[in-house]
Amino acid sequence: MDEISYEQASKELEQILSELKSDNISIDKLAEKVERASKLAVFCNEKLRTTENKVSEIIKRLGL
């Protein structure tokens, strides 16, 4: 995925989900939007997992 922050990915994902819920999307764009939403969701989950692991490691090193 191109250089994108978690916040940007999350915001774009929310926008896509909103479009899907409101039926404001053409059938021609539906598959494209669902694929993009899937990639964004995976990216966000990986980013959260990586951050959680880093924080846990820092806490271990600090002995907390």
Side-chain angles (χ1 to χ4, degrees), residues 9 11 14 20 28 32-34 43 46 58 62 64:
K11 186 175 181 177
E14 287 179 24
L20 293 174
D28 297 326
E32 178 184 316
K33 292 287 185 173
V34 170
F43 171 80
E46 288 176 0
I58 292 168
L62 293 173
L64 300 175

Side-chain angles (χ1 to χ4, degrees), residues 27-63:
I27 293 297
D28 297 326
K29 295 274 185 183
L30 182 60
E32 178 184 316
K33 292 287 185 173
V34 170
E35 183 176 351
R36 179 65 177 169
S38 174
K39 289 178 181 179
L40 290 167
V42 168
F43 171 80
C44 288
N45 284 331
E46 288 176 0
K47 189 74 164 173
L48 287 172
R49 226 177 289 122
T50 300
T51 300
E52 181 179 34
N53 290 338
K54 286 180 183 179
V55 170
S56 293
E57 186 61 36
I58 292 168
I59 289 171
K60 283 181 189 177
R61 281 189 268 145
L62 293 173

Side-chain angles (χ1 to χ4, degrees), residues 2-38:
D2 47 354
E3 292 297 317
I4 188 172
S5 71
Y6 174 84
E7 290 79 13
Q8 290 169 323
S10 178
K11 186 175 181 177
E12 184 179 346
L13 182 56
E14 287 179 24
Q15 181 180 9
I16 291 171
L17 293 176
S18 177
E19 289 175 10
L20 293 174
K21 287 178 183 177
S22 67
D23 295 330
N24 287 338
I25 189 164
S26 71
I27 293 297
D28 297 326
K29 295 274 185 183
L30 182 60
E32 178 184 316
K33 292 287 185 173
V34 170
E35 183 176 351
R36 179 65 177 169
S38 174

